[in-house]
Amino acid sequence: MERVNQSITKLIAQNPSSAKILHSLGIYFYNYSENSLAEICTQRGIKPEWVIQKLNDAIQSQTLEPGRIDDYPIDLIIEYLKHSHYIFIKDRLRYLGQIIDNYPAPNGSILADVQEVFPDFAQEFIEHVYEEEDTIFAYITELKKIQDNKAFLDYKEIVLPKKSIQDFENEHHQLDDEMQGIRELTRSFNLAEVSDVHAKVIFEALSNFSEELKIHAKIENEILFPKAIKLEQEVKALLSTPE
C-alpha cells in the first residue's frame, strides 16, 4: 500500500495515466497535488484500497481496440463507431478540456498555445462527428434498409443522393488527421518539452487521444468504407433490376 501514502504529484509522475482514472473518480489531481492519496480518501470518505484497485484495473485499458470488428455486419460497425464518438465527446474531450483549462501556463509557452487552440479544435471535432453521423452514417443506414427490405420496396420511388460512398470517402480522408495542428504545436507530444507533472499529464492525454483517433479512422477507412461501397453497388444493382 505504498502508493496510498504517496503525494498525488508523485503518484501521477510514476504513471500519468493515473490522472484520468482519479479524475473519473472525482479526484482532480491539480487540486490535490501535495496531498497523499490516503488524505484525499479520508476527506472524501472513500476507501483508498478501492481507489488503488480502480487504478490497477483501468490503467491497462486506455485505448480503443478494433478487435474483430471487420467481421461485424455494417449496421453494427456504425453503432460501434457512434459509441466511440460518444466516448470521444463526453469523456475524452471533456477531460482534456478540464486539465488544459486548469493548467497555469506561462505566457508564450507551448501549453499557453495549446490552451488557445484547443477550444476551436474541440468545436470543429464535434461538428465533424455530428456531420459524419448525419450524412455518411445516415446514408449507409438507408442503403442497409433497402437491402434488408428489398422484397417490400417500390424501387421507382427510391432516389439515391448525388454523392456516392466514394465521394464521402474522399472527403473523409481529407479530414482524417484532426489533431495535426496540435501535434505539430507540441512537437508530436514530446514529453521532453515539458517538465512538471500536470504538463506531462496533458501531453500524454493528448497523445492517447490522438492514437485512439488513428484507430477510429483506420476502422472507418479500412473496414466501414469498403463494406459500404460494396453495399452501395449491391443496392444500385437491385434498383436497376427490371420488374
Side-chain angles (χ1 to χ4, degrees):
M1 297 299 289
E2 179 184 351
R3 283 189 292 174
V4 171
N5 297 312
Q6 290 179 336
S7 69
I8 291 296
T9 297
K10 186 173 181 179
L11 183 67
I12 292 174
Q14 293 171 350
N15 191 330
S17 297
S18 300
K20 188 175 189 310
I21 311 306
L22 293 173
H23 193 276
S24 70
L25 301 176
I27 301 173
Y28 302 157
F29 68 93
Y30 40 80
N31 292 334
Y32 299 99
S33 58
E34 298 310 314
N35 294 93
S36 70
L37 183 58
E39 291 171 337
I40 297 169
C41 289
T42 298
Q43 292 175 19
R44 299 179 65 85
I46 56 179
K47 294 182 178 180
E49 297 84 1
W50 178 75
V51 176
I52 292 294
Q53 186 60 52
K54 289 290 184 182
L55 290 172
N56 292 338
D57 290 344
I59 284 174
Q60 300 303 317
S61 58
Q62 293 301 298
T63 57
L64 279 169
E65 293 293 342
R68 297 298 303 168
I69 193 171
D70 54 320
D71 294 332
Y72 294 179
I74 198 165
D75 48 348
L76 289 185
I77 293 174
I78 287 177
E79 289 306 310
Y80 174 90
L81 292 170
K82 282 184 176 180
H83 181 65
S84 297
H85 286 169
Y86 178 85
I87 292 172
F88 291 158
I89 293 172
K90 298 299 184 182
D91 181 79
R92 306 299 194 261
L93 284 182
R94 182 176 295 176
Y95 171 64
L96 280 166
Q98 289 177 340
I99 62 176
I100 290 171
D101 285 346
N102 283 280
Y103 182 72
N107 291 333
S109 65
I110 291 175
L111 278 169
D113 293 337
V114 171
Q115 286 176 330
E116 184 175 348
V117 304
F118 185 79
D120 289 337
F121 157 74
Q123 183 61 37
E124 289 174 6
F125 178 83
I126 292 170
E127 290 174 359
H128 167 64
V129 162
Y130 289 148
E131 182 181 6
E132 183 176 76
E133 292 187 359
D134 291 342
T135 55
I136 304 172
F137 289 3
Y139 176 42
I140 295 172
T141 299
E142 285 305 307
L143 290 174
K144 183 62 175 168
K145 286 180 181 177
I146 294 171
Q147 185 187 61
D148 289 346
N149 298 283
K150 53 182 178 287
F152 308 100
L153 291 172
D154 181 351
Y155 298 148
K156 295 186 181 300
E157 294 182 3
I158 297 171
V159 179
L160 294 179
K162 293 180 180 179
K163 280 188 180 182
S164 68
I165 295 294
Q166 189 65 63
D167 293 329
F168 284 126
E169 182 181 19
N170 292 338
E171 293 174 2
H172 187 263
H173 276 294
Q174 295 172 12
L175 296 170
D176 262 354
D177 195 356
E178 295 97 338
M179 292 196 72
Q180 180 178 353
I182 294 178
R183 185 181 297 105
E184 292 174 354
L185 191 62
T186 59
R187 297 179 178 87
S188 295
F189 318 112
N190 185 0
L191 288 175
E193 299 288 337
V194 297
S195 55
D196 65 277
V197 170
H198 192 153
K200 289 182 183 297
V201 168
I202 292 172
F203 269 48
E204 178 166 291
L206 286 170
S207 179
N208 289 343
F209 186 48
S210 177
E211 290 305 309
E212 286 186 303
L213 293 183
K214 288 180 183 178
I215 293 172
H216 187 78
K218 186 173 182 178
I219 292 171
E220 291 181 329
N221 293 331
E222 297 182 11
I223 300 175
L224 177 67
F225 282 121
K227 284 178 177 286
I229 289 172
K230 183 172 183 280
L231 172 64
E232 184 181 51
Q233 291 170 345
E234 293 173 352
V235 169
K236 286 183 175 180
L238 282 174
L239 298 181
S240 62
T241 303
E243 294 181 3

